[in-house]
Amino acid sequence: MNILVTGGAGFIGSHVCESLLSLGYKVVCVDNFNNYYSPTMKKKNISEAIKHKNFVLYELDIRDKNLREIFIKEKIDRVIHLAAMAGIRYSITYPEIYFDVNVHGTLSLLKLCVEFNIKQIIFGSSSSVYGNNPNLPLKEKYRPTPLSPYAHTKILAEEICKFFSDYHNLNVICLRFFTVYGPRGRPDMAVYQFVKSIDENKQITVYGKGELSRDFTYVSDIVDGILLSLKLPNRFEVINLGSVNSVKITQLVSIIEKNLNKKALIIDAAKITEEAESTLADISKAENLLGFKPKISIQEGILKYIEWYKNENKYE
Ligand SMILES: NC(=O)c1ccc[n+]([C@@H]2O[C@H](COP(=O)([O-])OP(=O)(O)OC[C@H]3O[C@@H](n4cnc5c(N)ncnc54)[C@H](O)[C@@H]3O)[C@@H](O)[C@H]2O)c1
């Protein structure tokens, strides 16, 4: 089976590509290596996958009309759509590029999926669509209340997926990822920034007195959820993927301090209104439909992340 992974050189995408290759799939990776963060990091992310005979890389934007040629040439069977402008804060300053890539880009990809009779599309959505809903744990049936341009683009893209599924009979699974962390983590995310700064004895900025909490989910658990979704024959589903592990930012900082054996230098900052107070996934749907079971605790995940971080720095 030939699987197109959009955003395959990114954090989550590169792990997905490696897992698919290890399972014997042919992987067609499309990524535009944009400079939201270092393209060199993205090249490094796929440095193992690229050696594999079943891996093909196209440096291309999902909005580029040449994407059509890839569908023809590579005989794509399924699509895992992870290419996006990610990151809440940047979306507040630059909403245009978020709507363009995350909404219009998804729309043009779905049109190709109809044209080429693609059997299934898995779309990487986000827990940010729930906004500040205090009714934890968050269930898929709750009304979305997006707070940022990024979150708006994700819910719009889900709705476009639903339309294509209803109208064009496409099988689409929208997976709402809850704060993903792990090796190759995006440099704009808290875990990456805290580990690097604490290790280098630099200050870290903690918003809202560290009282915010997140359902931090280790990347291999997200990859498991994506792979399990490949077996789901349903026409359309929206499914949460989280670890059901609510961790306050103060707790996260303590776990990192303990593992690095260093003390954080904290600068307090006001809470950002576009970000939720707390997130926690209800994963009963993922358990029932996919047999999803997150395996990695925050303590174990941070330990693994720090091991990776130390090895990376050794070779830089
Ligand atoms: N990391 C998280 O915590 C998290 C949480 C919820 C949802 N998500 C979603 O999961 C997906 C992957 O996120 P990530 O954290 O790995 O981010 P990432 O930025 O590391 O990966 C996204 C990749 O998409 C590529 N890309 C961006 N625009 C593109 C375009 N127009 N054409 C082709 N490629 C393009 C980027 O170069 C990048 O390699 C995204 O859709 C993101 O919104 C991530």
Side-chain angles (χ1 to χ4, degrees):
M1 192 191 295
N2 301 347
I3 305 189
L4 168 65
V5 182
T6 71
F11 161 41
I12 301 173
S14 61
H15 287 280
V16 170
C17 289
E18 280 178 7
S19 294
L20 291 171
L21 289 169
S22 72
L23 292 170
Y25 293 103
K26 176 172 175 189
V27 176
V28 180
C29 169
V30 168
D31 200 298
N32 70 347
F33 294 86
N34 69 17
N35 59 5
Y36 174 64
Y37 65 89
S38 154
T40 311
M41 256 182 102
K42 296 173 189 178
K43 295 262 154 119
K44 210 164 161 189
N45 287 345
I46 51 159
S47 55
E48 280 306 310
I50 212 151
K51 295 178 195 157
H52 203 289
K53 65 176 177 19
N54 286 341
F55 184 81
V56 196
L57 172 67
Y58 289 93
E59 191 162 341
L60 191 78
D61 196 296
I62 53 163
R63 296 163 295 172
D64 192 313
K65 60 177 180 356
N66 289 323
L67 188 58
R68 195 169 178 278
E69 304 309 315
I70 295 173
F71 274 79
I72 299 170
K73 183 161 180 246
E74 302 296 347
K75 299 189 171 49
I76 303 296
D77 297 300
R78 290 179 188 230
V79 174
I80 299 177
H81 177 35
L82 301 172
M85 287 300 297
I88 289 176
R89 289 174 210 163
Y90 196 75
S91 80
I92 300 161
T93 321
Y94 302 103
E96 296 87 353
I97 181 78
Y98 279 73
F99 281 90
D100 212 28
V101 172
N102 300 0
V103 181
H104 294 134
T106 301
L107 178 61
S108 42
L109 182 67
L110 288 168
K111 282 173 76 175
L112 288 174
C113 291
V114 174
E115 184 183 344
F116 291 94
N117 202 15
I118 297 303
K119 290 179 194 71
Q120 187 196 43
I121 298 106
I122 295 172
F123 169 60
S125 187
S126 160
S127 61
S128 64
V129 302
Y130 292 110
N132 238 339
N133 193 329
N135 298 318
L136 303 179
L138 299 161
K139 298 183 199 303
E140 293 87 347
K141 66 178 181 195
Y142 290 169
R143 195 168 153 264
T145 51
L147 300 171
S148 63
Y150 169 71
H152 275 281
T153 65
K154 285 292 172 182
I155 199 67
L156 277 171
E158 279 189 12
E159 282 165 9
I160 296 170
C161 287
K162 175 81 171 89
F163 167 75
F164 271 77
S165 171
D166 289 346
Y167 197 78
H168 295 290
N169 298 326
L170 278 184
N171 286 356
V172 191
I173 311 296
C174 298
L175 299 174
R176 292 181 178 166
F177 307 152
F178 280 66
T179 319
V180 192
Y181 72 102
R184 306 178 192 151
R186 280 199 342 256
D188 60 329
M189 296 193 72
V191 170
Y192 180 100
Q193 294 196 347
F194 289 176
V195 168
K196 186 167 175 20
S197 299
I198 296 173
D199 186 52
E200 294 174 358
N201 304 312
K202 292 185 182 149
Q203 293 174 317
I204 59 168
T205 305
V206 172
Y207 298 93
K209 300 204 174 346
E211 285 300 303
L212 306 191
S213 63
R214 289 288 175 272
D215 189 347
F216 285 101
T217 312
Y218 195 71
V219 66
S220 61
D221 285 328
I222 293 292
V223 174
D224 283 353
I226 294 173
L227 297 180
L228 288 165
S229 300
L230 286 172
K231 297 185 200 132
L232 190 67
N234 301 19
R235 176 53 41 93
F236 181 83
E237 296 291 347
V238 174
I239 306 174
N240 287 339
L241 290 184
S243 66
V244 200
N245 205 340
S246 183
V247 180
K248 277 194 180 175
I249 300 302
T250 44
Q251 247 177 302
L252 173 69
V253 172
S254 309
I255 299 170
I256 295 172
E257 285 180 328
K258 198 168 142 232
N259 277 290
L260 286 174
N261 202 17
K262 288 198 176 181
K263 202 85 197 113
L265 307 167
I266 296 175
I267 307 175
D268 286 317
K271 184 194 164 297
I272 294 173
T273 49
E274 288 82 358
E275 292 204 5
E277 298 273 338
S278 301
T279 64
L280 182 65
D282 180 316
I283 58 163
S284 38
K285 198 170 171 188
E287 286 169 337
N288 294 336
L289 288 181
L290 306 174
F292 175 69
K293 208 170 168 32
K295 299 184 187 75
I296 310 288
S297 69
I298 185 77
Q299 286 77 9
E300 203 184 335
I302 292 294
L303 185 66
K304 281 168 172 281
Y305 176 77
I306 288 177
E307 276 168 13
W308 170 82
Y309 166 82
K310 287 191 167 161
N311 273 325
E312 277 300 285
N313 278 357
K314 230 184 270 167
Y315 300 114
E316 263 173 14

